[in-house]
């Protein structure tokens, strides 16, 4: 092979890789450097399976915590935001969701959100973890509380009910969604969508019955149900909505932002297999880069926030956000650079050969 | 000259940099293959099968790598003697890792992983090729450059690559999963290595005849020879004991952090990155400082007993102290570094200590025998661990869940067995039954009045 051809192979492949990385992220690079940046919010999640998808447009969560002294704490959340909390004495009946149709969009000055009672820091921490957490998080929370024995205010039972409102078994997922009163809708006129539906998941975790706990080999989940539009089904995993899917299910967040005074909702181009995206958390703020001329062209970027108490956790979040977005581009470009730099070193050896080479005596050249 | 060649007395430093690029790319592919545990986990539930697959690596090390190394010394082709093995290996490995994320179920995935393990060992001659290119006087600096590259790889793998496995990117009409990205990146690294080797590396035929390949019945003869030497049995016993004490969780380590404790792969990457940095800037300098004047037996004892205590302490801390039996990333880094630092005491002292008990004329045989004993023992312990975790989970865990941390109990039991073997060894040494033949039988050339030349020994 002629030396020129031999020496040009590596740089050429390297350039091809670099070009591929630019083509691969062309849209995002353009929006990142030439687009408009605004704050946005993650307002939904698409659970994309091989044929169909479920679209989460809203989630109500009811938590009922039973303490060792018999008191109960009822907390109701809408889109992971605490709407009401009550302390129920031992004999009082728990009420249903205090504000089942709680919708921040419908709250006005004359219709403020219901007041909440102050809770202890420990209980508040447990609630914060459990409301977003999967079944394992609830188990661990209960296990931590159990170790507090004989504290009468320790939590001994957690009931969690999730009501997911959205669209089920959707066959065609739109890239851009509509917003109705700030709420995510699949079609402009919701009546037209036959896919609108509801999923209700109920899980009870209890450590009071030692015998039952032993029979279940330490598993505190004593009751579980998953209903799609009222029909009980068996999910892949006995878990809450975002954690009950098989690994093959792709989770893609939907984000909203305001462009030129108009609210836009769009499906993210990045997602995760088997569970929700880690850096892009549902109903948390995010950064959006969009094209001013065509606001539907936008991409979402994670905000890692302040370092806080746990720098390692922050570092993980930061890397997850940064490389979840740019990791593939960076690796393709890095492969290109590896080829180019190596090719250039070989070219330098051909143009400026080293005089340091000393032949070992008696070796065949 | 733009070719990299073997058998030079002195080579340009640019060759060494290029060889480090090559070595780093190979290592990056190896790091990418670390995700195979997660790929297997997609299709295989049983911890026993998961760990059995990793022990195949040890098996192929014995039946593939050893013969390839042996025959590469004894052949010559128009492409050289090491390159044919390495290039074949890299081409197949690159193809395998390219196809791996497309394997739709357990069978093709299993076949591809086994092929990966076989052909990785086929390329075992790579390190020898590098040693043939880099002359002895430049090897130390080459190793130092290599160590720096290695740290860069840990950083890159920990921060950028490790956490990408579950990611999905939808762009230009293509859906690229993180699994594809990691494996295809590994494949690109391997094809990069192949191109450099094919286009720019040349082996030169060494002077003198090629060693014949008739050492008493192919490769069977040397294997049998290893255990015929009675004077080496105590050494094998020592190795047996240390492998027992050094058994890790293997594939379960990742599954413990990810599956059981619910951390993300990015958290695992953070653990790897921060641990690597602490190791580089704090642990290694500290160990170097403390061990500068320490007796090697004392070092070995600190390493072995301290490592065991650290492991027991970690088990007790997680199982009985932490309220939810789930350590934080900080805890994992702390205990990981503690075990790693203590382990380095025994790591540094082990080989010099072992060689004290090996007669000088049996070092080669002993080295081969130790590798064999180490591999077989590791195979037994890793499979044992797999069975232990499977049975423990079957008896004590809710259906479908696995307690990988229970593997620590198995490891602690092995620690006690290993310690018993080491105490027995020490007792035999004290009573004079086992003698440090490497020390007592050694006579320096100066004392025997001979000349310090490379004259062959005449028995």
């Amino acid at each position: 092979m002629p030396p020129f051809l031999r020496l040009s192979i590596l740089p050429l492949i390297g350039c091809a890789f670099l070009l591929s990385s630019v083509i691969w992220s062309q849209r995002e690079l353009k929006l990142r450097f030439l687009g408009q940046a605004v704050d946005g919010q993650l307002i939904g999640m698409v659970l994309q399976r091989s044929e169909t998808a479920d679209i989460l447009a809203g989630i109500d969560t009811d938590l009922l915590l039973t303490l060792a002294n018999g008191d109960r704490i009822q907390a109701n959340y809408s889109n992971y935001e605490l709407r009401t909390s009550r302390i129920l004495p031992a004999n009082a009946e728990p009420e249903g969701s205090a504000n089942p149709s709680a919708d921040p969009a419908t709250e006005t000055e004359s219709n403020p959100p219901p007041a909440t009672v102050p809770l202890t820091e420990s209980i508040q921490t447990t609630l914060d973890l459990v409301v977003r957490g999967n079944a394992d998080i609830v188990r661990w929370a209960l296990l931590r509380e159990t170790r507090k024995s004989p504290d009468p205010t320790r939590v001994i039972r957690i009931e969690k009910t999730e009501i997911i409102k959205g669209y089920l078994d959707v066959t065609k997922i739109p890239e851009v969604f509509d917003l109705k009163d700030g709420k995510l809708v699949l079609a402009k006129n919701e009546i037209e969508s036959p896919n609108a539906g509801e999923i209700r998941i109920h899980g009870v975790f209890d450590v009071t019955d030692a015998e039952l706990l032993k029979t279940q080999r330490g598993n505190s989940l004593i009751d579980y149900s998953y209903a799609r539009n009222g029909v009980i089904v068996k999910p892949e995993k006995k878990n809450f909505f975002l954690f009950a899917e098989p690994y093959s299910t792709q989770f893609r967040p939907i984000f909203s932002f305001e462009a030129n005074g108009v609210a836009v909702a769009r499906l993210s181009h990045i997602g995760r297999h088997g569970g929700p995206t880690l850096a892009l958390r549902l109903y948390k703020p995010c950064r959006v880069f969009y094209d001013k001329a065509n606001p539907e062209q936008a991409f979402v970027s994670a905000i890692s926030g302040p370092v806080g108490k746990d720098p390692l956790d922050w570092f993980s979040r930061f890397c997850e956000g940064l490389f979840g977005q740019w990791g593939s581009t960076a690796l393709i470009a890095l492969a290109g650079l590896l080829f180019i730099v190596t090719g250039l070193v070989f070219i330098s050896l051909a143009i400026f050969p080293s005089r340091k080479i000393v032949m070992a005596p008696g070796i065949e050249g | 000259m733009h070719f990299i060649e073997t058998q030079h007395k002195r080579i340009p430093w640019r060759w060494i940099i290029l060889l480090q690029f090559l070595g780093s790319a190979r290592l990056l592919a190896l790091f990418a293959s670390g995700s195979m545990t997660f790929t297997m986990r997609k299709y295989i539930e049983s911890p026993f099968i998961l760990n059995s697959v990793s022990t195949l690596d040890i098996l192929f090390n014995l039946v593939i790598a050893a013969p390839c190394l042996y025959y590469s010394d004894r052949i010559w082709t128009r492409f050289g003697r090491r390159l044919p093995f390495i290039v074949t290996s890299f081409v197949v490995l690159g193809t395998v890792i390219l196809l791996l994320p497309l394997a739709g179920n357990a069978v093709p995935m299993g076949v591809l992983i086994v092929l990966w393990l076989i052909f990785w060992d086929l390329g075992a001659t790579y390190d020898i090729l590098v040693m043939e290119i880099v002359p002895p006087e430049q090897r130390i600096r080459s190793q130092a450059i290599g160590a720096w590259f290695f740290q860069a790889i840990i950083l890159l793998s920990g921060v950028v690559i490790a956490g990408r496995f579950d990611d999905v990117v939808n762009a230009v009409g293509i859906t690229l999963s993180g699994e594809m990205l990691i494996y295809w990146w590994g494949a690109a690294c391997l094809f990069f290595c192949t191109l450099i080797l094919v286009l720019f590396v040349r082996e030169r035929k060494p002077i003198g005849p090629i060693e014949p390949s008739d050492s008493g019945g192919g490769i069977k003869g040397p294997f049998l020879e290893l255990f015929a030497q009675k004077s080496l049995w105590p050494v094998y016993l020592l190795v047996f004991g240390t492998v027992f004490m050094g058994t890790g969780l293997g594939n379960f380590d990742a599954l413990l952090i990810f599956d059981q404790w619910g951390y993300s792969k990015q958290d695992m990457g953070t653990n790897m990155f921060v641990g690597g940095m602490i190791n580089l800037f704090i642990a290694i300098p500290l160990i170097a400082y403390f061990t500068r004047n320490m007796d090697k037996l004392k070092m070995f004892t600190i390493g072995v007993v301290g490592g065991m205590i650290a492991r027991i302490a970690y088990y007790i801390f997680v199982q009985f102290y932490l309220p939810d039996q789930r350590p934080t990333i900080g805890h994992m880094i702390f205990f990981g570094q503690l075990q790693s630092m203590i382990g380095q005491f025994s790591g540094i002292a082990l080989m010099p200590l072992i060689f004290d008990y090996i007669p000088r004329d049996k070092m080669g045989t002993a080295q081969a025998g130790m590798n064999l004993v180490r591999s077989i023992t590791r195979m037994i312990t890793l499979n044992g661990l797999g069975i232990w975790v499977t049975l423990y989970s079957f008896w004590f865990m809710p259906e479908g869940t696995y307690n990988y941390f229970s593997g620590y109990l198995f490891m602690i039991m092995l620690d006690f067995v290993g310690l018993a073997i080491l105490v027995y060894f020490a007792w035999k040494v004290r009573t004079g039954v086992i003698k440090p033949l490497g020390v007592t039988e050694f006579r320096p050339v100066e004392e025997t009045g001979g000349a310090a030349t490379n004259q062959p020994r005449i028995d």
Side-chain angles (χ1 to χ4, degrees), chain A residues 6 144 217 247 269 273 316, chain B residues 166 170 199 270 324 394:
Chain A
R6 187 188 294 268
R144 273 195 300 274
R217 295 171 183 178
Y247 184 80
H269 76 293
H273 268 299
S316 279
Chain B
D166 300 326
N170 299 276
L199 295 173
T270 300
D324 52 3
F394 176 73

Side-chain angles (χ1 to χ4, degrees), chain B residues 94-113:
Chain B
T95 312
V96 162
I97 208 168
L98 204 64
L99 296 175
L100 192 57
L102 307 176
N105 60 61
V107 176
M109 179 214 62
V111 171
L112 289 169
I113 288 179

Side-chain angles (χ1 to χ4, degrees), chain A residues 36-48:
Chain A
Q36 183 76 32
V38 287
D39 287 333
Q41 199 192 20
L42 293 150
I43 56 158
M45 187 73 78
V46 172
L47 278 67
Q48 195 176 334

Side-chain angles (χ1 to χ4, degrees), chain A residues 48-64:
Chain A
Q48 195 176 334
R49 304 185 193 93
S50 57
E51 302 290 328
T52 60
D54 288 348
I55 299 169
L56 179 154
I59 179 167
D60 289 337
T61 314
D62 293 342
L63 297 177
L64 185 67

